[in-house]
Amino acid sequence: MHLLGKIAVAGLAFAVLGGTAYGYTNLHALDDVTRDSVIDADGGTSPGEQPADGSLDILLVGRDSRADQQGKPLPPAVLRELRVGANGDDLTDTLIVMRIPNGTKDVKAFSIPRDSYVSMPGGRGKINAAFGRAKAAEAKRRRDAGETDKAKIDQAALTAGRRATRQAVEDLTGVKIDHFAEVNLLSFYEISKAVGGVDVCLKQATKDKNSGADFPAGPQRIAGADALAFVRQRDHLVGGDFDRVRRQQVFLAGLARQVLSAGTLTDPGKLSDLIDAVKRSVVLDDSWKLLDFVAQMRGVSGGGIQFDTIPVVNRDYRYDPQDPRATAVQVDPAAVKAFAAAMVGTAAPAAPAAAPVTVDVSNAGPKEGLATRVAGFLADHGFARGTTGNTASRRTSLVRFGADLAQRGAEVAKLLGGLATQESAAVPAGHIEVVLGSVYSGPGTTGGGSAPAAGDAPITSDGVVCVN
């Protein structure tokens, strides 16, 4: 059972460092945080790309590791407290890209499902495997070159894994990562306890043996092992991993809200515990200048965080003909790049169309309100709202358009996760028609775009949202 929930790193990036903006003296206590050359000139990248608006893009990584940041295995007593076994994979089971603006705008963040099937060195595979592949390859290369110092081999391998993860995210999203932060199981556990717990809410009671989850319905405060169980659980959830991603986002919003509250910032004991937890277990890239970052966070700490998830084509993608039971999450890189550019505000303005382009959306599946939500998503991307409603049931989705709107029709198809297209003279002039099939899982559904599914409130840091 892999783990997704080590998202306290985002609490570091937004909340912990943002909170220390209230007192620069606290920041110096973080001088001992572990650093790694994830983003540097030697690695073929340049830190701090500095977009025109001065914003920063941070990759927040949660790694499935039963070791501390020095590579020492966690003691059996600690593993029992965490309710996890001794064996863990070299997987990055939480990947969140966070845009920190230079000013008072809201922070925007989006999740990448851990099973997203992408191209990377060594062949196509799930994006959370990029770390382990590169780590193993670098360790082998060092040993083959005659290196015998285990500590040096292990550190070089970890650096290679982190760089490969950063590169895989950049390749998929088109977003240049300026900074990197990583936590593991222990750091998540300690940070959530240090802030005194995080407020969450569940739509119904849930119990799961594998994760240790045992929660009543309704609002509640969780910390430590309970918090880890909350973000680990995927069994007995309707949406599986996608519900678990939504739990990550809810917990992260609550963590930021809790750290930035007066109860934490004005409590020397809590603040000290929080800083100690970060120092013990968090890894940052060595190009990250914390004082500069804190100054930038001052402008946004009073705003909020808006969460989303990249669009997907198929949540149950059978990628291996030799093993029909193997599944992954199918994504369209072009659609993901378009989504990410719109999400972080880096997309170049679209060239004006010769005539207004109206999109009519029909829902051929069972999801109530889907056509309206998708129409709203497309309106946010410059298309005029047309008619919305239901149509005869069909499994697959389709985008239809006249010959003169082939380019804009292809753009709509990509925005919605890479849908099939069809040129048709029957489509009215100036219109594009979208038919959403029963297996549609792009923007407008949970875990696939800026609009939430029916009954699901948008996740921000402004308040507690009940989730599955």
Side-chain angles (χ1 to χ4, degrees):
M1 183 66 62
H2 300 311
L3 306 179
L4 265 169
K6 289 74 75 177
I7 55 167
V9 61
L12 163 72
F14 178 76
V16 177
L17 298 183
T20 56
Y22 291 85
Y24 269 27
T25 56
N26 292 319
L27 187 64
H28 295 296
L30 288 171
D31 288 343
D32 296 332
V33 69
T34 303
R35 300 280 192 158
D36 197 4
S37 57
V38 184
I39 303 173
D40 62 1
D42 181 60
T45 66
S46 55
E49 184 184 43
Q50 298 300 316
D53 64 356
S55 58
L56 294 174
D57 294 310
I58 299 170
L59 175 59
L60 314 172
V61 172
R63 189 158 66 88
D64 187 1
S65 172
R66 273 70 164 174
D68 61 21
Q69 301 299 47
Q70 289 71 47
K72 298 178 181 177
L74 297 178
V78 173
L79 294 175
R80 286 194 297 271
E81 178 71 12
L82 296 178
R83 305 171 189 163
V84 298
N87 296 321
D89 297 324
D90 279 323
L91 300 171
T92 49
D93 285 335
T94 299
L95 296 169
I96 298 176
V97 176
M98 182 171 287
R99 162 60 62 98
I100 308 294
N102 185 22
T104 57
K105 298 178 181 179
D106 289 345
V107 173
K108 294 183 178 181
F110 62 85
S111 300
I112 300 171
R114 63 171 191 164
D115 288 342
S116 298
Y117 202 67
V118 302
S119 296
M120 54 186 172
R124 290 175 59 79
K126 298 178 182 180
I127 196 168
N128 68 340
F131 182 96
R133 282 189 185 182
K135 178 172 176 281
E138 179 64 16
K140 182 179 185 303
R141 188 185 73 82
R142 294 273 174 159
R143 288 192 295 266
D144 291 347
E147 179 63 68
T148 58
D149 188 317
K150 185 178 184 301
K152 288 183 178 180
I153 293 173
D154 289 347
Q155 182 55 55
L158 284 172
T159 301
R162 289 165 181 150
R163 287 178 174 173
T165 299
R166 185 214 74 234
Q167 189 63 58
V169 169
E170 289 185 342
D171 290 345
L172 175 63
T173 66
V175 175
K176 173 68 169 64
I177 299 302
D178 299 297
H179 292 301
F180 174 98
E182 176 195 304
V183 297
N184 60 15
L185 293 176
L186 182 61
S187 51
F188 172 82
Y189 172 87
E190 292 187 338
I191 290 173
S192 64
K193 288 186 67 174
V195 300
V198 173
D199 293 323
V200 298
C201 180
L202 288 175
K203 294 179 180 179
Q204 59 272 321
T206 182
K207 190 171 184 178
D208 171 49
K209 178 181 178 181
N210 289 327
S211 64
D214 187 1
F215 301 110
Q220 52 205 287
R221 177 165 289 195
I222 55 176
D226 285 339
L228 186 58
F230 178 84
V231 293
R232 282 186 67 201
Q233 184 184 1
R234 71 171 175 179
D235 291 345
H236 312 301
L237 297 181
V238 175
D241 275 345
F242 285 84
D243 276 348
R244 187 158 57 163
V245 166
R246 191 164 167 84
R247 281 197 184 186
Q248 292 179 21
Q249 296 172 345
V250 164
F251 189 89
L252 171 54
L255 179 60
R257 191 167 51 249
Q258 179 69 11
V259 172
L260 293 175
S261 70
T264 299
L265 295 174
T266 60
D267 185 326
K270 283 187 177 179
L271 200 54
S272 177
D273 289 345
L274 182 58
I275 290 172
D276 286 344
V278 170
K279 287 195 300 183
R280 283 195 298 269
S281 54
V282 172
V283 175
L284 302 178
D285 70 86
D286 58 9
S287 67
W288 202 337
K289 298 179 181 178
L290 296 186
L291 285 174
D292 291 345
F293 178 69
V294 165
Q296 184 159 347
M297 286 298 296
R298 279 180 163 181
V300 299
S301 59
I305 311 178
Q306 300 175 358
F307 289 94
D308 215 322
T309 304
I310 64 169
V312 304
V313 177
N314 185 355
R315 301 185 186 190
D316 190 34
Y317 178 48
R318 307 289 168 154
Y319 63 91
D320 186 357
Q322 304 303 318
D323 184 3
R325 295 175 300 175
T327 62
V329 174
Q330 185 181 15
V331 295
D332 177 354
V336 173
K337 287 179 174 63
F339 164 83
M343 182 74 179
V344 301
T346 59
V357 177
T358 301
V359 181
D360 304 314
V361 185
S362 298
N363 183 10
K367 301 181 180 70
E368 294 183 4
L370 180 61
T372 299
R373 294 193 301 274
V374 170
F377 172 80
L378 293 173
D380 290 340
H381 289 75
F383 293 91
R385 288 175 182 261
T387 61
T388 58
N390 297 322
T391 189
S393 176
R394 61 176 284 161
R395 183 175 185 276
T396 58
S397 302
L398 181 66
V399 178
R400 290 194 291 252
F401 43 79
D404 59 327
L405 290 179
Q407 184 174 350
R408 300 307 305 277
E411 182 182 345
V412 169
K414 287 183 178 180
L415 283 171
L416 297 182
L419 304 186
T421 60
Q422 181 185 83
E423 189 175 307
S424 172
V427 178
H431 284 241
I432 294 171
E433 294 180 349
V434 175
V435 180
L436 304 170
S438 60
V439 296
Y440 173 78
S441 57
T445 60
T446 300
S450 61
D456 284 339
I459 295 177
T460 72
S461 59
D462 290 336
V464 180
V465 175
C466 289
V467 295
N468 290 327

